[in-house]
């Protein structure tokens, strides 16, 4: 055969063919090969065979030399293409002579699709091994035909042992109503099935679908079971949070109503006391005022729990606050443990939100109780200690126990949020981290010492505050300012109106924001101060204040509430210099906040009643 004839036949061939000379240079190639590679024939013909290969895939010298030197040799090689992705061709070498010259003919089969499929299978198999579950197929008899996945490790059974096992044998039941079997039979009937199951304390959710042949007939099932342990735990936490949020909103709403009642009781008790001459009557009303004061402490704790309380740092006398807490602390510690209080009456005052300080003490004592066994001791102490600078004094509050103590590692992490040494479900791990945040916000420090087996001591030190100058006194003899009072609770509105009018204020009252806006629009004179409840039907107190200040830029604002539904809105108002009065309040406290809101400085006095 002549060289020219051979080249003509080669060009017309439908096969993928290359013709090389004895030195491995491409002498010709079929049109089909040129079309497959998408390259110009001149880029192939006359060039070494190696240059047609994709260099990014490696040199592959041994494969090339085998093809060029031995008839019948086979090798799979990557060829460069116009689009950049290599074409993997399986080459088979034949040797012949054309015009007396040795030639090598390479016949090629395109393996690109098969190779991609093999690579995809490998990747899918590797991915399946990383799945937190199991992937399997069965035939029409529900015998396992393939199975893979990282979840197999939980069963501690090799894959080959499960192949050929029936679904009934795998789950140990032949009950057709058993969820896994029912789901597989549902899939054989052409519908998807679902079920849940547990393995080694882990939770899985499985889905089973029909496995169809190319003609659409069902030849088995394909199932996927994924581990959902963490998502189940997250769902449980979310449900608990939703319950706690609902409980918090309910508790806050109840505290709001209760605080309104306490306000009516406390204010009218004072007003009646001023009118009585009989000492017996005054004693009775003093008992009413004391009960209202204790009710205020209880609702304050409730609101602190719901995170719906507006923080109001006040001067608090530490020893008295702890004495008032003593009955609750003893009830918390219980009869099987001993509680000792060593309170220095000379510790004086600190500036902090009293409800938050109470919450911190209760949390620390509860931690101490849980760390001690029957017969253990919990000690609460207060004392004055030296500060960082000469002459600087601080108030130290200490809660100690003789319980199990902590290791060094546990002690170093004790104040981290959600870290707890208690058993799962027995504590949130937020007590110490919350206490640290409260104390730090008040300018104080929290330190913790603990020895494993010997007990724990938590010390809080706070800057000592100046003692109040004495009882409250209004700084003007007869106020003349006008006040717009907005309160939807009739009893509270009447009490506040009566207190302010007795003190000399001109009072306009409204039951809700719409009436207040109408009254302001109709009244041509000056309104010096808006006294408004925070939570009301329609517009809230802060929303009403914003509307009125647009019309009356000089208007001052005093907010009242026992429960702030939108705490952040109120805090933003306080940041703008507006004043807040917590319910329930006494006449003295209301009049004090009025003067403060109108811009007159007054001594704080003993606002906590401690």
């Amino acid at each position: 055969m002549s060289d020219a004839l051979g080249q003509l036949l080669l060009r017309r061939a439908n096969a993928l063919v290359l013709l090389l000379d004895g030195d491995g240079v491409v002498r010709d190639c079929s049109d089909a090969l040129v079309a497959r590679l998408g390259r110009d024939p001149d880029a192939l013909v006359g060039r070494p065979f190696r240059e047609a290969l994709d260099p990014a895939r490696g040199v592959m010298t041994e494969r090339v030399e085998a093809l060029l030197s031995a008839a019948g040799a086979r090798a799979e090689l990557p060829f460069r293409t116009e689009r950049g992705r290599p074409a993997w061709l399986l080459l088979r070498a034949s040797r012949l002579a054309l015009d007396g010259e040795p030639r090598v003919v390479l016949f090629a089969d395109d393996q690109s699709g098969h190779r991609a499929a093999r690579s995809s299978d490998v990747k899918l198999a590797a991915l399946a091994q990383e799945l937190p579950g199991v992937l399997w197929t069965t035939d029409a008899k529900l015998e396992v035909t393939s199975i893979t996945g990282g979840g197999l490790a939980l069963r501690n059974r090799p894959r080959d042992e499960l192949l050929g096992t029936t679904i009934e044998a795998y789950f140990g039941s032949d009950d057709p109503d058993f969820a896994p079997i029912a789901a597989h039979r549902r899939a054989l009937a052409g519908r998807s099935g679902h079920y849940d199951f547990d393995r080694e304390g882990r939770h899985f959710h499985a889905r089973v679908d029909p496995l169809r042949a190319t003609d659409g007939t069902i030849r088995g099932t394909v199932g996927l079971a994924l581990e959902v342990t963490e998502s189940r735990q997250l769902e449980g936490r979310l449900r608990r949070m939703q319950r706690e949020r609902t409980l918090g909103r309910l508790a806050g709403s109840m505290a709001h109503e209760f605080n309104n009642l306490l306000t009516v009781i406390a204010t009218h008790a004072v007003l009646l006391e001023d009118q009585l001459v009989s000492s017996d009557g005054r004693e009775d009303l003093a008992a009413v005022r004391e009960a209202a004061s204790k009710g205020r402490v209880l609702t304050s704790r409730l609101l602190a729990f719901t995170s719906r309380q507006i923080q109001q740092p006040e001067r608090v006398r530490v020893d008295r606050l702890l004495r008032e807490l003593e009955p609750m602390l003893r009830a918390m510690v219980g009869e099987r443990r001993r509680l000792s209080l060593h309170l220095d009456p000379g510790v004086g005052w600190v500036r902090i939100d009293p409800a938050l300080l109470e919450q911190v003490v209760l949390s620390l004592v509860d931690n101490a109780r849980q760390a001690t066994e029957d017969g253990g001791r919990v000690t609460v102490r207060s004392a004055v200690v030296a500060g960082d600078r000469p002459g600087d004094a601080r108030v130290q509050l200490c809660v100690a126990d003789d319980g199990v103590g902590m290791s060094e590692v546990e002690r170093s992490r004790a104040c981290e949020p959600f870290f707890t040494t208690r058993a799962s479900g027995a504590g949130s791990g937020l007590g110490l981290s919350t206490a640290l945040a409260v104390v730090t916000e008040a300018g104080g420090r929290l330190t913790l010492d603990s020895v494993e087996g010997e007990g724990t001591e938590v010390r809080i030190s706070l800057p000592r505050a100046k003692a109040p100058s004495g009882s409250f006194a209004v700084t003007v003899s007869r106020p003349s300012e006008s006040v717009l009072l907005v309160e939807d609770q009739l009893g509270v509105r009447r009490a506040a109106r009566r207190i302010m009018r007795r003190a000399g204020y001109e009072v306009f009252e409204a039951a809700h924001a719409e009436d207040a806006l109408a009254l302001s629009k109709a009244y041509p004179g000056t309104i010096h101060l808006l006294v408004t409840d925070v939570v009301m039907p329609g517009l809230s107190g802060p929303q009403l204040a914003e509307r009125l200040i647009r019309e009356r830029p000089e208007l001052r604002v005093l907010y009242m509430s026992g429960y702030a539904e939108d705490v952040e809105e109120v805090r933003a108002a306080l940041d703008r210099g507006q004043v807040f009065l917590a319910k329930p309040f006494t006449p003295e406290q209301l009049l004090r906040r009025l003067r403060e809101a109108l811009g007159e400085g007054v001594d704080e006095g003993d606002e906590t009643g401690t």
Side-chain angles (χ1 to χ4, degrees):
M1 181 186 298
S2 68
D3 197 1
L5 178 60
Q7 290 180 355
L8 178 62
L9 292 174
L10 178 63
R11 287 292 182 116
R12 297 293 183 265
N14 290 326
L16 307 177
V17 184
L18 278 166
L19 179 64
L20 313 181
D21 63 16
D23 296 326
V25 176
V26 177
R27 291 304 175 187
D28 211 339
C29 58
S30 67
D31 291 342
L33 180 67
V34 171
R36 173 63 185 88
L37 301 182
R39 301 179 65 187
D40 191 324
D42 293 338
L44 298 172
V45 178
R47 298 178 179 275
F49 168 69
R50 296 175 187 275
E51 294 184 5
L53 303 179
D54 184 358
R57 305 293 165 171
V59 178
M60 302 187 181
T61 302
E62 292 182 1
R63 297 186 190 181
V64 173
E65 289 181 350
L67 285 173
L68 297 180
S69 61
R74 299 164 63 90
E76 189 175 18
L77 295 172
F79 282 73
R80 296 166 62 185
T81 65
E82 182 184 28
R83 295 183 179 180
R85 296 186 63 181
W88 286 88
L89 304 182
L90 178 61
L91 302 168
R92 186 179 71 258
S94 293
R95 303 183 70 83
L96 53 81
L98 291 178
D99 295 337
E101 296 291 334
R103 295 286 188 267
V104 178
V105 182
L106 299 178
F107 297 93
D109 289 324
D110 191 353
Q111 298 293 308
S112 301
H114 296 297
R115 189 179 183 89
R118 290 198 304 272
S119 175
S120 177
D121 289 343
V122 170
K123 291 178 180 178
L124 283 174
L127 178 62
Q129 290 300 320
E130 297 299 322
L131 277 175
V134 181
L135 177 66
W136 71 94
T137 59
T138 74
D139 59 17
K141 296 180 181 179
L142 295 184
E143 291 183 358
V144 178
T145 54
S146 65
I147 187 167
T148 187
L152 289 175
L154 292 174
R155 292 287 287 156
N156 197 25
R157 295 177 62 182
R159 173 179 173 275
D160 293 341
E161 183 182 321
L162 296 172
L163 293 175
T165 303
T166 64
I167 293 300
E168 290 88 347
Y170 179 82
F171 285 99
S173 173
D174 57 3
D175 182 359
D177 294 328
F178 182 49
I181 297 174
H184 282 82
R185 295 197 175 189
R186 184 181 178 89
L188 287 177
R191 294 169 295 173
S192 297
H194 302 264
Y195 62 92
D196 297 299
F197 65 99
D198 296 335
R199 284 289 182 270
E200 306 295 334
R202 314 295 290 177
H203 306 291
F204 293 84
H205 176 75
R207 175 190 172 106
V208 187
D209 292 290
L211 181 62
R212 300 181 185 274
T214 54
D215 61 0
T217 59
I218 297 174
R219 60 185 181 89
T221 68
V222 56
L224 174 64
L226 291 177
E227 185 178 349
V228 293
T229 305
E230 292 185 2
S231 62
R232 287 286 179 85
Q233 292 173 344
L234 187 60
E235 286 175 9
R237 281 189 217 161
L238 180 60
R239 285 193 293 269
R240 287 194 297 273
M241 288 174 61
Q242 289 173 336
R243 286 196 297 268
E244 289 174 1
R245 186 176 301 164
T246 301
L247 176 62
R249 293 185 66 87
L250 176 61
S253 179
M254 292 175 63
H256 174 60
E257 296 300 323
F258 191 47
N259 274 332
N260 282 328
L261 293 175
L262 290 174
T263 301
V264 175
I265 293 170
T267 53
H268 281 86
V270 174
L271 294 173
L272 284 172
E273 190 175 19
D274 291 342
Q275 299 175 31
L276 287 177
V277 178
S278 167
S279 60
D280 292 339
R282 288 183 177 275
E283 289 178 2
D284 292 339
L285 287 174
V288 172
R289 291 181 63 187
E290 183 180 357
S293 178
K294 290 181 178 179
R296 176 181 182 271
V297 172
L298 290 175
T299 55
S300 179
R301 291 174 190 147
L302 190 60
L303 290 173
F305 163 74
T306 64
S307 299
R308 294 286 178 175
Q309 185 178 28
I310 303 299
Q311 294 187 29
Q312 293 192 102
E314 301 173 357
R315 280 183 286 191
V316 181
R317 184 164 168 176
V318 175
D319 61 315
R320 291 183 182 174
L321 181 140
L322 293 175
R323 283 297 180 197
E324 289 187 355
L325 276 181
E326 184 176 358
M328 184 174 291
L329 295 177
R330 293 197 180 279
M332 177 180 289
V333 169
E335 297 180 355
R336 297 182 179 181
R337 296 168 181 81
R338 293 169 293 169
L339 174 68
S340 299
L341 269 69
H342 302 285
L343 308 179
D344 181 356
V347 293
W349 305 74
V350 295
R351 184 171 179 79
I352 193 172
D353 188 307
L356 290 180
L357 181 57
E358 291 171 357
Q359 183 181 352
V360 167
V361 173
L362 290 169
S363 178
L364 294 180
V365 171
D366 187 44
N367 285 348
R369 175 190 65 83
Q370 297 199 46
T372 57
E373 299 177 352
D374 289 355
R377 180 183 294 277
V378 178
T379 304
V380 179
R381 295 192 302 269
S382 66
V384 179
V385 296
D388 298 330
R389 295 173 296 180
D392 183 23
R394 298 176 74 87
V395 175
Q396 185 181 86
L397 191 155
C398 173
V399 177
D401 66 73
D402 57 2
V404 296
M406 289 182 253
S407 67
E408 183 62 27
V409 173
E410 291 171 339
R411 190 197 64 76
S412 66
R413 299 189 57 195
C415 290
E416 293 181 10
F418 303 109
F419 177 80
T420 178
T421 58
R422 301 177 191 174
S424 177
S428 65
L430 289 173
L432 275 175
S433 62
T434 301
L436 177 61
V438 170
V439 172
T440 303
E441 180 69 20
R445 292 191 293 267
L446 184 149
T447 56
L448 183 149
D449 289 328
S450 186
V451 178
E452 197 165 8
E454 297 183 16
T456 301
E457 182 174 281
V458 181
R459 294 185 300 277
I460 294 170
S461 69
L462 295 165
R464 203 176 188 192
K466 181 181 178 181
S469 60
S471 61
F472 169 80
V474 178
T475 57
V476 294
S477 58
R478 191 68 178 172
S480 59
E481 292 90 351
S482 57
V483 177
L484 174 55
L485 171 64
V486 188
E487 167 62 63
D488 60 306
Q489 294 292 325
L490 178 61
V492 177
R493 191 169 70 248
R494 284 176 175 172
R497 176 195 63 197
R498 189 172 172 186
I499 292 167
M500 289 188 287
R501 284 184 175 171
R502 284 183 59 186
Y505 294 95
E506 182 182 12
V507 181
F508 307 98
E509 58 180 296
H512 48 73
E514 287 71 17
D515 284 353
L517 290 169
L519 192 153
S520 173
K521 188 173 182 179
Y523 182 65
T526 300
I527 298 178
H528 298 90
L529 179 65
L530 169 67
V531 178
T532 178
D533 193 15
V534 172
V535 181
M536 297 184 295
L539 293 177
S540 67
Q543 291 171 335
L544 170 63
E546 184 178 355
R547 293 270 296 270
L548 287 176
I549 289 173
R550 289 183 203 151
E551 302 171 2
R552 300 173 178 267
E554 301 303 319
L555 182 69
R556 302 295 185 93
V557 181
L558 169 61
Y559 294 114
M560 303 182 298
S561 183
Y563 166 65
E565 187 170 301
D566 193 339
V567 175
E568 296 305 320
E569 186 180 21
V570 178
R571 285 175 180 157
L574 298 182
D575 289 340
R576 294 193 295 268
Q578 294 162 337
V579 182
F580 180 81
L581 173 63
K583 296 178 183 177
F585 51 78
T586 65
E588 290 180 347
Q589 291 167 342
L590 172 58
L591 295 177
R592 182 185 307 281
R593 291 297 189 209
L594 285 174
R595 301 318 306 170
E596 184 179 343
L598 289 168
E600 294 188 16
V602 295
D603 191 282
E604 287 180 348
D606 188 357
E607 295 185 359
T608 66
T610 52

